[in-house]
Amino acid sequence: MLTARPAWSVALAAAVTTLCWTPMALAEYATPPANLLKVLKAPPPPAPSIDPTGQRLLLTTVQTYPSITRVAQPYLKLAGVRLEPKNRSRHDTPGGYGIPSCVADFTVVDIASGRQIRVPLPADACAGMALWSPDGQRFAFQNVVADSVQLWVGDAATGQVRQMPGVRLNPIFGSTVQWLDGGRHLLVKLVPARQGAAPSDHGVPSGPDVQESLGATGQSSTYETRDTLTSAYDEKRFAYYGQSQLAVVDAGSGKVREIGAPQLFNGISAAPDGVHVLTETIRPPFSHAVTYQRFAYDVDVLDLDSGKRLQIASLPLAERVPIRGVPEGPRDFDWRATEPATLVWAEALDKGDWNVSVPQRDRVLMLKAPFTAKPREIARTTQRFNGIAWGERPELAFLDEYDENRHWRQTRIVDVDKPMQAGRLLWDLSSDELYGDPGNFVYRRLPNGALVVREEDGQVFLRGQGASAQGDRPFLDRLDLRTLKSERLFRSGTDAYDQFLGFTAVPGRFLSWHQSVIDPPNAFVRELGARDGAARAGEAQYASSTTALTRLEDPTPEVRQIQKRLVTYKRADGVDLSFTLYTPPGYTEGQRVPAILYAYPADFANAEQAAQVSGSQQTFTRLAPYRLMLLAGYAIIDNASFPIVGDPKSAYDTYLEQLEANARAAVDKAVELGVVDRNRIGVTGHSHGALMTANLIAHTDLFRAGVATSGSYNKTFTPFGFQNERRSVWQAQDVYLKASPYFYADKLKLPLLLVHGEDDANPGTEPFQSRKFYQAIRGNGGTTRLVMLPHEPHWYTALESNEQLVAEMLAWFDRYVKNAPAEKAAAKR
């Protein structure tokens, strides 16, 4: 009996045939079937942000994907920064993973009345994220246009925005815009008005790139070598485009007051008094071995009223910082939030090297205005100093330290004015701990802009993800500073995912960001009141007077037909694991369908933390590119636990064995559930997950085919460590070789699709990794396909590139997984 094929099946078959047999030399951008494309292009939920006074909520919706035209804009690679010279905008995010997203919409919501105002953005705007003023009356944002990066200021009450005339921002090193005086002024970095023309080499190099090392030892992490300078011409361009003019802009009148002369300002930070500014000024020589973060720089305090500056420290070029270590000398400068102008910083006592055994690793110092006295030591830390959270009272601060060797963190309550007192131990736990994580402090923005831990009657507030064996259940706690005991004020229910956003202007009220599998994220006003009698002791929800503040609609109702569930199981050695199992629309229980496993291996110091469940099944389902395969009839074994467990110094000795054990346990469980067809399973992963994918295809028979995106396949090209592997290739050559599927290309006979961005700047995953791996597989007679996406960084940005990715993935899995010959699969297994 013949049955009609579903419409999506016919469309997919046509797409697969067209894509798979298009000659590579004639390739153009492909598009997936219409039902997948509609979901791919759907707008994301907005990001919520409460103003510091708790009166208004700003909803920010970013553009889903920019066009390839925008992504293809010319840019310069300057010592770890990608910059578009025509307008001085950043062509990458701070982590180097993609161009910044443009804001498509700002909406201001009055929390008391619920009234919403859509902010009228300029035509063809490419706005950045907004920054609330401390008084909550204004918000500022950058706007990228053809020839500059503009500064715009919005009125929170009316939603009206206006451009600050004549302001051309220079965002090359960040710290571009910050509020002063509670919201009356802004401190900005400008493109110097009288800078002159950019340097030019007229297309002719002035000489070779020369580097030398004169016998000193020292490793460079791959994270410090992204887009380094390569010539004297690069150095000139770095000095030219890096120069900024500091200025103070009146947010009301738009008047601009320049401060001092242009410099290579990196970080800048205004003191609570709004007069003193901490500046980090980069100076030559400019290294060709590391990025600008390791360049020599001066730390000064600038007086905005007088224009005078006072030097605090002068740090040398740091080309040989130990991997996972810190530079020697002063670092991690910060202002004390409870004083007008007091600096705090740390200095290493172990030469910045975690391999060195010492009684204390760091000391912490403090220096008050006018910054002419000798700094006073206020603490020493057994492990690496990790920052101070300031309380609202001068005698209250929370000092953090971190042990790289043990994956351990510790927090003490200290009074920095009484340095002889050790302080009270607040937390002492593994940094990998999820179930016992106490959460993070809830902060309050003071009228002067300083950020402090919110305190009421000797109690502070903590917000956390609330990880549990049933998934994340976000919470709000109140910690008594006298007893150090916490009381749970709010916890998300088991049928939704509810996150604390912040307190409102009305005492006892807060906003939560509520979503469920079928309900899109929306803001709710909640009141701390009577406990929910149905909740268990210690897990009470304060649910009285719960009111929806926003009513955002579902842009993709067809996705709600997808079902998902948390699945727990054990690895062969007893380690507890989990994954989220998604089933396609129209799935009937007991039906076996083709499946795709997605994972990203994570490193853990012990099995107990590795076994903890993270994530939630109650979040609003959105489909990343690989999850779009659900709409083509696949099940997704999503975010499968892939822990690499062991001493951080040697865990990768058993990397391959643990990869296979993780994969086998996940596949066996998915098959045991009666959902997945064992003979039709594919695997995919990105970055470190791509390395996993290639190794599973090379060393196991669990999968029919794989799709690896933006991976690193020959780890000898990251010779001083990768992930949590700390040994160099010369110390652990066998580990590097075994982890590298490149050296097993002759054994890799299962189909493997390789996708990579041509402009990937992520350290260790340079584009040549995929090109060379493809050549190795092809040369050894393997089945493979290489797709290099023009202009794309580590995470693919353009709409056209993501359409191509989805179309390629669908065609590959349909051809080699869903429609693979059954008899071959049966014979193999």
Side-chain angles (χ1 to χ4, degrees), residues 118-140:
R118 187 170 183 180
V119 175
L121 292 176
D124 299 322
C126 182
M129 300 300 286
L131 181 67
W132 280 112
S133 63
D135 61 10
Q137 298 303 305
R138 295 185 172 105
F139 55 92

Side-chain angles (χ1 to χ4, degrees), residues 564-769:
K564 61 180 175 180
R565 57 181 127 161
L566 175 67
V567 178
T568 58
Y569 52 101
K570 288 183 181 292
R571 203 164 73 175
D573 59 2
V575 176
D576 290 315
L577 304 175
S578 65
F579 60 70
T580 298
L581 180 63
Y582 289 82
T583 51
Y587 175 76
T588 302
E589 201 65 35
Q591 176 189 7
R592 290 196 181 273
V593 294
I596 299 165
L597 182 146
Y598 174 88
Y600 188 95
D603 304 332
F604 294 89
N606 65 66
E608 182 180 347
Q609 273 77 45
Q612 295 181 347
V613 176
S614 63
S616 172
Q617 313 312 304
Q618 303 305 323
T619 54
F620 185 64
T621 301
R622 297 189 67 237
L623 301 185
Y626 70 90
R627 288 194 195 128
L628 286 170
M629 303 303 108
L630 284 156
L631 301 179
Y634 291 85
I636 302 291
I637 305 167
D638 200 23
N639 287 319
S641 300
F642 264 66
I644 306 301
V645 183
D647 186 325
K649 298 177 182 178
S650 58
Y652 273 77
D653 288 354
T654 57
Y655 169 69
L656 282 182
E657 293 83 354
Q658 293 196 60
L659 274 191
E660 180 172 0
N662 292 327
R664 190 169 298 280
V667 167
D668 287 349
K669 187 62 179 181
V671 173
E672 176 192 315
L673 293 172
V675 175
V676 172
D677 181 348
R678 183 182 291 276
N679 295 321
R680 294 189 296 163
I681 306 176
V683 61
T684 187
H686 186 79
S687 194
H688 193 45
L691 175 68
M692 170 207 74
T693 297
N695 272 314
L696 290 174
I697 290 296
H699 297 289
T700 78
D701 62 355
L702 296 168
F703 305 98
R704 297 305 307 275
V707 177
T709 59
S710 298
S712 172
Y713 309 107
N714 183 343
K715 303 313 292 185
T716 66
F717 286 107
T718 55
F720 293 110
F722 59 94
Q723 298 304 112
N724 269 0
E725 175 52 59
R726 304 173 181 188
R727 296 162 295 183
S728 74
V729 68
W730 299 277
Q731 296 169 314
Q733 187 177 97
D734 185 57
V735 171
Y736 279 72
L737 296 178
K738 284 178 63 179
S740 302
Y742 177 85
F743 296 106
Y744 298 90
D746 59 328
K747 297 178 175 58
L748 203 155
K749 301 306 180 184
L750 294 173
L752 182 63
L753 169 65
L754 300 171
V755 183
H756 215 118
E758 287 274 19
D759 284 350
D760 190 347
N762 183 54
T765 61
E766 290 91 343
F768 79 84
Q769 288 273 1

